[in-house]
Amino acid sequence: MELKKYNELAAALLARQQHDWPLLAANYKALESVEVKNITVGSETIRVQYNPARIFSSAAKVDPESIQRRPCFLCASHLFPEQEKLAIHPLYWLLCNPYPIFREHFTLPSRHHKPQLIRRHFPDFLRLAKYLTGYTLFYNGPHCGASAPDHLHFQAVTSGVMPLEQEVAARLSQGLPIVKHEGSAVLYSMTGYLRNGFVLRTSVARDALRLFDYLYTYLLRYAGAEEEPRMNLLALYNRGEWLVILIPRRAHRPWQYSASGDDCFFVSPGAADIGGCLVVPRREDFEKVTVGLLKSVYEQVCWSGDQLP
């Protein structure tokens, strides 16, 4: 199937679901009136979105006991009755996300129930990014914003809607330090920002796999007893080339998430928030956002630049 056909199928799926599924239609309608404010922190833009529907994700209980007590909402047998599955890949479905952050927001769960771990499935991540040209795929690690850490899944949104994408493109054009080459693939280091990390560019998938494995092995030293290094991934495919952004994480949530009273700031950063679209489901948090508060949140959940090679 031509790559452009996948985009057409995704767009058609979203149109059908907005017509047939009241919950999804209501939440997409609500997106038209969400309040947004852009805050500049140094050279970076954080787009803060007040989105009450996202309380489902921000408040998700992801401890092992809570996960075992609830049915997996990404397994086919537990989907919403109105939720349509598009067979985009032999191992993955394409679903419309009923709690969208963006005007086009899809979830791509594995057809089989398996843990949210990326290493063995990074080739799938690249392949799906190629199928969905014009979209940016992202991955939330099991302790980095995934509200279903028990079920492997990715998400896809329209390319270019997250400020980090434009910022990375600008930094690449200005020149970033190169960490390693592998065939056609180049791994860059990105430091001195709110969200320090790595950028991988290549036109050959196997070279990307080798560099990702190198980087994953490097990050394992910081994983401790956890099942994989904490990270968020973004990937897009354009003009024959993959661009992958990897942001290592050192915390799931900032201390303000569980604070009481005026100290509470109810944010649970995932890849979209790391991408520069910080979602707050409560109005009081939207109104209290400052440059200092944003710096505090990102400095807690992301690596400092001196940890990168």
Side-chain angles (χ1 to χ4, degrees):
M1 183 182 294
E2 295 180 25
L3 296 182
K4 66 180 181 180
K5 293 294 186 183
Y6 289 104
N7 297 2
E8 294 170 5
L9 290 170
L13 173 67
L14 181 57
R16 286 196 304 275
Q17 291 279 263
Q18 286 179 313
H19 181 268
D20 298 336
W21 187 1
L23 171 66
L24 181 138
N27 286 336
Y28 267 93
K29 181 67 176 177
L31 270 186
E32 298 174 7
S33 57
V34 296
E35 295 179 60
V36 175
K37 55 185 172 185
N38 293 332
I39 297 182
T40 302
V41 186
S43 62
E44 297 166 78
T45 297
I46 303 300
R47 187 172 299 137
V48 184
Q49 180 189 108
Y50 170 48
N51 189 337
R54 291 297 295 182
I55 192 72
F56 172 83
S57 178
S58 297
K61 294 183 178 180
V62 293
D63 59 282
E65 294 78 13
S66 297
I67 289 170
Q68 286 201 354
R69 285 198 300 266
R70 58 112 171 106
C72 176
F73 54 84
L74 291 180
C75 283
S77 58
H78 297 138
L79 296 178
F80 288 93
E82 305 93 336
Q83 197 161 20
E84 185 180 341
K85 306 187 298 294
L86 179 65
I88 192 172
H89 182 282
L91 300 177
Y92 296 87
W93 302 111
L94 181 74
L95 313 174
C96 292
N97 192 316
Y99 303 103
I101 301 172
F102 307 100
R103 299 300 171 88
E104 293 181 288
H105 192 165
F106 301 96
T107 304
L108 296 97
S110 166
R111 298 193 189 192
H112 306 286
H113 188 78
K114 59 178 68 177
Q116 179 80 337
L117 299 172
I118 188 63
R119 191 172 199 174
R120 290 179 54 200
H121 304 289
F122 186 69
D124 301 339
F125 188 60
L126 293 180
R127 189 172 297 113
L128 290 166
K130 186 174 182 179
Y131 285 176
L132 290 168
T133 302
Y135 293 89
T136 296
L137 258 68
F138 61 82
Y139 168 80
N140 291 318
H143 304 287
C144 302
S147 52
D150 55 329
H151 193 122
L152 176 66
H153 66 286
F154 309 118
Q155 296 182 62
V157 301
T158 315
S159 289
V161 296
M162 290 182 277
L164 183 62
E165 296 178 68
Q166 289 80 29
E167 292 165 359
V168 166
R171 290 164 192 163
L172 283 170
S173 67
Q174 296 161 6
L176 284 173
I178 294 174
V179 177
K180 190 175 176 62
H181 287 271
E182 184 68 51
S184 77
V186 184
L187 181 66
Y188 303 87
S189 175
M190 186 171 66
T191 61
Y193 307 104
L194 275 181
R195 299 146 292 171
N196 297 301
F198 303 90
V199 180
L200 191 161
R201 295 176 71 176
T202 187
S203 58
V204 180
R206 65 176 177 274
D207 294 338
L209 301 183
R210 293 190 185 107
L211 270 189
F212 180 76
D213 196 65
Y214 160 81
L215 190 53
Y216 193 99
T217 301
Y218 170 79
L219 296 175
L220 274 176
R221 71 186 68 183
Y222 299 99
E226 293 182 355
E227 56 270 54
E228 81 170 13
R230 296 187 179 197
M231 70 180 80
N232 296 113
L233 288 170
L234 288 77
L236 58 97
Y237 184 85
N238 186 38
R239 297 180 181 178
E241 182 180 72
W242 283 276
L243 179 72
V244 180
I245 304 167
L246 187 155
I247 306 296
R249 295 283 297 272
R250 57 180 173 183
H252 180 191
R253 291 161 171 164
W255 68 264
Q256 291 94 337
Y257 177 87
S258 54
S260 58
D262 292 339
D263 287 334
C264 182
F265 186 56
F266 201 67
V267 293
S268 182
D273 310 273
I274 295 299
C277 295
L278 187 77
V279 178
V280 294
R282 307 189 312 171
R283 173 163 290 283
E284 57 264 39
D285 296 320
F286 183 73
E287 293 175 348
K288 73 168 61 169
V289 172
T290 63
V291 170
L293 184 54
L294 291 179
K295 287 183 68 176
S296 173
V297 168
Y298 285 102
E299 287 172 358
Q300 288 178 69
V301 303
C302 297
W303 279 22
S304 60
D306 57 11
Q307 288 180 281
L308 273 66

